[in-house]
Amino acid sequence: MTKGPQRAAGIRRGAALVLGLLLIALAAGAASASAATVSGVVRTAAGDPVPGVVLTAIKRFDPVATATTGLDGSYSLTVDSGSYQLSGALPEEADPIPGLPTQWSFNGSLSVSGDQTVNVTLPAVRTLTVHVLDSREAPQEGFTVSLPGLRAATADAPSLQAFSSVPDAVTDADGEVHGLVFDGSRPAGFRGTGSLTPPDGSGFLPSTFSVPAISGDTTLVVHAAEPSTHVTGVVRDANGDLVPGVPVSLGPASDVTDAGGAYSLGVEPGSYTFSASAPADSGALGLPDNWFLSGSLRATADRTFDVTLPQTVTLTTRVLDAEDGDAPLEGALVDLPGWDLRGVLVIDGVPNFGLNASAAQGTTDAAGEAHALLFDDAEPHFGQRVTVTPPESTGYAPVESSLPDLAGDTTVVVRAPVPFYWVTGTIRLDEGTPVADVDVDDGLDSATTGADGVYRIKVEPGGGNSLSLAQPEADGTELPPNWTFSGRFGAYADRTLDVTLPKALHVTTRILGDEDEPVPGTVISIPRFSYWFPLDTFGELTDVQARADPLTRTTDANGEAFYVEFDGTQPTFGVAARISPPVDSGYDARLFAPEFNRFDLLDVEHVHDSHAPTIAYSQSPDGALGWWSGRPASVHVTANDPRIDTLACTVDGVAPRRLGVVSGTGTLSADLTVRGEGRHPIACTATDRSDHSTSESTAALIDLTNPGASALTADRAPDYAGGGGWYADTVTVTAIDTGDPLLADGSAGSGVDPGSVPAPQTFTTSGRHVVSATVADIAGNVSRTTRLSVRVDADAPMTTLTCPARAVSLGARANASWDDDDAGSGLVGPNHGRVALDTTTLGSHTIDHTATDRVGHTTTSSCSYEVV
């Protein structure tokens, strides 16, 4: 019954948040010059206005404008042109509107390019009924029904979707819940199913059901899930007594043991976590106040699992007043940690259950004791300790004490307050010299030795004290750098405890190369070392351990580095030391295992060169793609290696008579000269002083031959072949490369550069046009020039027709004269002549004449005459 209200509150809170953010955004500045007004009315499907709806325009997740519908359902938003999301919902504090779903909203895209009207008509409202039945078709009361959110298209704004949801509800005596939703709705989002949660103790299982599209008033009949496997049993204590009131669960099913300690759980077949916990009156039943049992059970058929709890024992915490002769301390508060049993067998044949128990805080009685019931064989949770808080009237501070594992009834004694003793001693080197500036600590007190090596500290009484020595400022000349030393001792009165440090060894590590030469500048990184010693080595100190964090050392000109370490050094956790030679030495870094417990205090380590030289070629040809168009070609080769020794090369498989190798720091280089046209393979091999070699090859490419001349072609034959050939109106000339000849050695040339081939040329003006073209190869050689002449006639001929200026008598003989001319391909026919006039009828007459050139252009002229 909580999911629905929470969802409704979320919708309303979201609307309020959007409104708040929008008001902040609007306060930041005035409307832009390109603002437009979006207005409209929000109505129900019946046409009734819907007041109080908050509409928000959102751009890139930020609200930019908001409005609330009035009593007539109208709204108006001012926004800039652009794309938005338009959303609408009732504010969080608003009452639901009768006749509409309890929770609803709408949302969709909106494109604004000017003032416009966007009306929102909500879909019709329908009743959705969920009817819950069991397998015998009997109505089921008390089931919680959860439905997914639904969405439907609005009537007059297809881009807007209307959303509705039904709050979680519990089925009535008829097994039904009812809710209002929009017609045409279907599940929205990823969760398209509803869910049923059965009432506690009903024996049914939680389940889900599909929600179809809503069309009219809809009733969904849903059958509750009934378990097919039943697990039963009883819970007993170690004495066999049945334990009532124990909460028990198996996966989704739960129950509480009855007065006879029995439980029954129904589930589908499978593996589940089985758990049981303390009943409300656990202490009265002779069990720990709080306990929890958990493990895995497999239920594939009806089964019985009886639980038998472990034996309970009593933990007694006795608190004594150490300043009052160990008298019982009444009224002290005792706080115990939790206690764990792992892998216990509480169900026959089912191992590996975990059991945790705890007891409430207790207060010591007149005997100074507090008692707690716990399970036997338990251990303190994560090694936690008991905390005792003495009565405030004593002025004593709280005291912590360790706890043992339980093995039967157990008593723990705690004394308050904590007393102390003085321990005084001197820290010396192995030959007896006092050591100053040593930090001494026992966890309760600390001190630093003076020039005489003496310290004085407080310690707790008993045999479990720890003494820790450290000298962070040790310079590594007499003692190891950053050394520490620790051990355990007992103190039952003020006492003296002198400490003689282990013998310090002065060790030299020498780093040599492959030729046994010193490698100066090598950094040696020694890891932290630990030193464990026999129990009787340092008198009354036991469990003695020393450590040091050696500083890194760099070898001198002799390849040597100096260290100080305690005798008996061993790497902590077997971590090896590291040798890092200088990068320019050519030697590899490596690990080694130093030993500082030998009589030979000179440690010689070798480093090795495992890398072959590298070879790089460079050349700067005067052509493209590595081609030379002139000679000689020059190829520069460089071999790199800190320990480079030799460089040898061949050109066309033959070694040059004189290579001319130049030496540099870690390099050998040479220039190779090649003159003849063709493809010349070059191979070089470099070797270092450790006989590692590398071979790399390249080639010098020389092309001295020009490519073939290009061919020039027109896009068609001349429209008039005479007079040198004429094209009507236009012609396009295209250049075609004719290839690149073979080189002198018979290999293919560099090839024609496609970018050097001229683009096609189109001519559209009258006259003679001359096209010339050259091409180049990749190496840069240029072909001879090719030329092609074309003639274009793009103009019509000229013509003039002349009639008699005076009237012509009826029936008389008369002529008109014509003159034609063409500057291009020439005329078809003569360029002048006469034509007889028709004088057989009286009145005005008109006559035409047409001139035609050789490529088909025509021009017509006319004149008029009178017949009287």
Side-chain angles (χ1 to χ4, degrees):
M1 292 296 291
T2 59
K3 294 182 182 177
Q6 288 174 349
R7 189 184 304 124
I11 293 174
R12 291 193 292 269
R13 282 193 299 271
L17 175 59
V18 169
L19 177 58
L21 290 174
L22 178 60
L23 292 175
I24 293 173
L26 292 177
S32 119
S34 61
T37 299
V38 178
S39 59
V41 179
V42 180
R43 301 183 180 91
T44 66
D48 297 326
V50 185
V53 179
V54 177
L55 288 91
T56 305
I58 300 171
K59 189 177 186 70
R60 297 190 186 93
F61 305 103
D62 293 325
V64 296
T66 187
T68 303
T69 58
L71 293 176
D72 60 352
S74 65
Y75 72 93
S76 179
L77 292 165
T78 301
V79 295
D80 293 339
S81 298
S83 297
Y84 298 87
Q85 284 290 315
L86 179 66
S87 66
L90 290 176
E92 180 178 358
E93 66 275 5
D95 295 328
I97 296 177
L100 289 178
T102 304
Q103 301 157 14
W104 63 272
S105 64
F106 57 82
N107 185 33
S109 60
L110 175 66
S111 179
V112 178
S113 58
D115 294 348
Q116 63 188 89
T117 300
V118 178
N119 294 322
V120 181
T121 301
L122 299 175
V125 178
R126 307 300 184 194
T127 299
L128 173 62
T129 300
V130 180
H131 193 189
V132 181
L133 306 174
D134 65 8
S135 60
R136 294 174 295 280
E137 305 300 319
Q140 295 300 307
E141 184 178 5
F143 274 74
T144 300
V145 178
S146 299
L147 291 167
L150 303 172
R151 67 177 175 184
T154 59
D156 49 4
S159 65
L160 295 178
Q161 295 283 316
F163 298 86
S164 61
S165 60
V166 177
D168 292 356
V170 178
T171 56
D172 56 20
D174 295 326
E176 294 182 345
V177 296
H178 311 276
L180 297 180
V181 299
F182 289 128
D183 197 24
S185 291
R186 62 183 64 251
F190 296 105
R191 188 176 74 87
T193 59
S195 63
L196 289 182
T197 303
D200 293 340
S202 66
F204 290 96
L205 300 175
S207 61
T208 60
F209 58 91
S210 299
V211 178
I214 306 302
S215 179
D217 293 340
T218 302
T219 297
L220 301 181
V221 177
V222 180
H223 287 85
E226 302 180 40
S228 59
T229 299
H230 291 81
V231 174
T232 58
V234 296
V235 179
R236 298 184 178 90
D237 63 18
N239 300 320
D241 296 327
L242 298 171
V243 184
V246 175
V248 180
S249 67
L250 182 65
S254 60
D255 195 9
V256 178
T257 58
D258 58 20
Y263 68 89
S264 178
L265 303 167
V267 294
E268 293 299 310
S271 295
Y272 301 95
T273 297
F274 177 89
S275 64
S277 57
D281 55 351
S282 187
L285 297 173
L287 296 172
D289 294 334
N290 298 289
W291 54 271
F292 180 79
L293 173 71
S294 179
S296 180
L297 286 181
R298 182 168 177 77
T300 56
D302 291 350
R303 292 195 60 179
T304 296
F305 292 113
D306 293 334
V307 177
T308 301
L309 297 173
Q311 182 67 50
T312 56
V313 296
T314 299
L315 173 65
T316 299
T317 304
R318 182 178 301 148
V319 182
L320 304 179
D321 190 336
E323 291 195 353
D324 191 18
D326 280 352
L329 187 58
E330 184 178 4
L333 186 63
V334 177
D335 185 14
L336 294 171
W339 297 77
D340 298 326
L341 282 86
R342 297 181 176 86
V344 294
L345 188 68
V346 295
I347 298 176
D348 288 344
V350 184
N352 298 324
F353 268 73
L355 180 59
N356 175 269
S358 63
Q361 284 184 324
T363 303
T364 56
D365 55 21
E369 295 181 346
H371 308 279
L373 279 179
L374 297 166
F375 289 121
D376 201 9
D377 296 322
E379 59 185 28
H381 185 63
F382 293 123
Q384 295 180 23
R385 299 152 63 92
V386 61
T387 301
V388 174
T389 304
E392 187 176 348
S393 59
T394 64
Y396 298 160
V399 179
E400 285 191 352
S401 182
S402 299
L403 290 168
D405 295 347
L406 297 180
D409 293 341
T410 302
T411 298
V412 174
V413 177
V414 179
R415 288 180 170 83
V418 178
F420 69 89
Y421 296 116
W422 286 108
V423 172
T424 305
T426 303
I427 311 299
R428 296 183 176 88
L429 297 177
D430 64 309
E431 77 277 8
T433 303
V435 183
D437 300 322
V438 177
D439 295 335
V440 184
D441 192 291
D442 71 336
L444 178 66
D445 194 11
S446 62
T448 301
T449 60
D452 56 0
V454 174
Y455 71 91
R456 185 171 185 260
I457 56 173
K458 299 176 184 177
V459 300
E460 294 183 0
N465 290 290
S466 297
L467 183 71
S468 297
L469 310 179
Q471 195 177 28
E473 302 301 326
D475 61 8
T477 56
E478 294 298 328
L479 286 170
N482 305 316
W483 64 269
T484 63
F485 183 93
S486 63
R488 303 185 67 82
F489 67 97
Y492 303 93
D494 293 347
R495 59 160 297 174
T496 298
L497 181 60
D498 296 330
V499 177
T500 299
L501 298 175
K503 180 180 180 181
L505 298 178
H506 296 69
V507 181
T508 298
T509 298
R510 181 180 297 159
I511 307 300
L512 302 178
D514 283 338
E515 301 171 273
D516 284 338
E517 81 282 10
V519 184
T522 299
V523 176
I524 305 175
S525 303
I526 304 291
R528 183 169 187 164
F529 280 79
S530 300
Y531 319 96
W532 295 89
F533 303 96
L535 299 184
D536 59 352
T537 303
F538 295 92
E540 296 186 51
L541 278 179
T542 62
D543 298 335
V544 171
Q545 184 183 20
R547 292 189 178 94
D549 289 324
L551 301 173
T552 58
R553 292 288 191 264
T554 302
T555 56
D556 57 19
N558 297 318
E560 294 181 346
F562 174 75
Y563 283 93
V564 178
E565 289 297 339
F566 288 128
D567 191 10
T569 293
Q570 293 295 329
T572 303
F573 302 119
V575 177
R578 184 175 182 83
I579 300 173
S580 301
V583 175
D584 59 2
S585 70
Y587 288 114
D588 304 328
R590 75 174 185 87
L591 302 178
F592 76 104
E595 296 183 17
F596 296 142
N597 55 358
R598 304 172 303 173
F599 292 105
D600 182 4
L601 300 184
L602 175 62
D603 182 21
V604 178
E605 301 288 341
H606 280 81
V607 290
H608 305 286
D609 177 6
S610 64
H611 299 283
T614 60
I615 293 177
Y617 293 99
S618 65
Q619 51 181 311
S620 301
D622 46 6
L625 302 180
W627 283 90
W628 296 79
S629 62
R631 51 186 173 187
S634 178
V635 179
H636 185 75
V637 58
T638 302
N640 290 279
D641 190 289
R643 307 182 68 252
I644 192 70
D645 189 25
T646 62
L647 175 63
C649 299
T650 61
V651 179
D652 294 323
V654 178
R657 285 182 294 178
R658 184 177 180 277
L659 185 57
V661 175
V662 177
S663 297
T665 302
T667 65
L668 293 177
S669 60
D671 289 303
L672 303 171
T673 301
V674 183
R675 297 183 179 277
E677 184 182 61
R679 300 170 184 263
H680 303 276
I682 296 173
C684 294
T685 299
T687 306
D688 64 16
R689 293 199 300 275
S690 295
D691 282 337
H692 301 124
S693 64
T694 298
S695 296
E696 298 288 352
S697 61
T698 187
L701 309 176
I702 302 177
D703 184 349
L704 306 177
T705 303
N706 296 335
S710 63
L712 294 173
T713 60
D715 58 358
R716 67 187 188 279
D719 297 292
Y720 171 59
W726 287 86
Y727 294 90
D729 300 321
T730 182
V731 65
T732 298
V733 178
T734 301
I736 302 173
D737 80 80
T738 59
D740 193 25
L742 296 177
L743 303 180
D745 63 354
S747 63
S750 59
V752 174
D753 180 2
S756 70
V757 179
Q761 297 184 60
T762 299
F763 301 98
T764 59
T765 59
S766 296
R768 178 173 176 267
H769 303 277
V770 178
V771 181
S772 62
T774 60
V775 296
D777 60 18
I778 299 297
N781 301 304
V782 180
S783 71
R784 64 178 178 83
T785 301
T786 302
R787 292 180 175 82
L788 176 66
S789 175
V790 293
R791 295 172 177 81
V792 175
D793 185 349
D795 300 310
M798 295 184 297
T799 180
T800 302
L801 179 64
T802 304
C803 290
R806 297 179 179 180
V808 180
S809 298
L810 181 68
R813 296 177 62 183
N815 296 300
S817 62
W818 49 267
D819 289 288
D820 296 341
D821 189 23
D822 185 76
S825 57
L827 296 169
V828 176
N831 59 0
H832 63 274
R834 293 188 299 172
V835 60
L837 300 179
D838 181 8
T839 61
T840 60
T841 58
L842 297 174
S844 297
H845 300 274
T846 300
I847 187 171
D848 295 332
H849 169 73
T850 299
T852 303
D853 65 16
R854 300 285 187 175
V855 295
H857 299 129
T858 62
T859 302
T860 300
S861 61
S862 62
C863 66
S864 298
Y865 62 96
E866 292 286 335
V867 177
V868 294

